[in-house]
Amino acid sequence: MPLRAYDVWSDGIGGGRMDGEKEFKRALEKAHLYGLLAEYYKYRDSELYTHYYKKHFKYTRKVAGMAWGTGGRL
């Protein structure tokens, strides 16, 4: 199934709780996407770079926490 922008950006409004595997995949996709956006804006717009890097860092920590079994809390 192809990945759509909505799948990455939405937070599942109106849906129930996601199972662990879907939540992990969604967090991993967001971490990757925000990392790409941060790199794109790195030398173009420092404010957008900082904005996307913070989001990338947040989701990277969440993925690491989920992988280590702490539920995203490090």
Side-chain angles (χ1 to χ4, degrees):
M1 183 167 129
L3 180 64
R4 298 171 305 201
Y6 178 77
D7 292 334
V8 175
W9 292 101
S10 73
D11 288 325
I13 297 172
R17 292 184 55 93
M18 285 189 268
D19 65 344
E21 187 176 327
K22 283 185 179 180
E23 187 177 355
F24 181 79
K25 183 179 177 187
R26 169 102 15 117
L28 188 61
E29 289 169 348
K30 284 186 175 187
H32 180 68
L33 176 64
Y34 291 136
L36 290 174
L37 287 167
E39 285 300 313
Y40 177 79
Y41 286 111
K42 192 172 193 173
Y43 300 108
R44 290 173 177 82
D45 186 328
S46 61
E47 287 183 29
L48 282 175
Y49 166 71
T50 303
H51 172 76
Y52 287 119
Y53 184 79
K54 285 179 180 180
K55 286 184 168 275
H56 166 70
F57 187 74
K58 171 186 170 182
Y59 282 100
T60 300
R61 285 181 54 95
K62 182 174 183 174
V63 167
M66 292 170 83
W68 283 95
T70 61
R73 299 174 306 278
L74 292 178

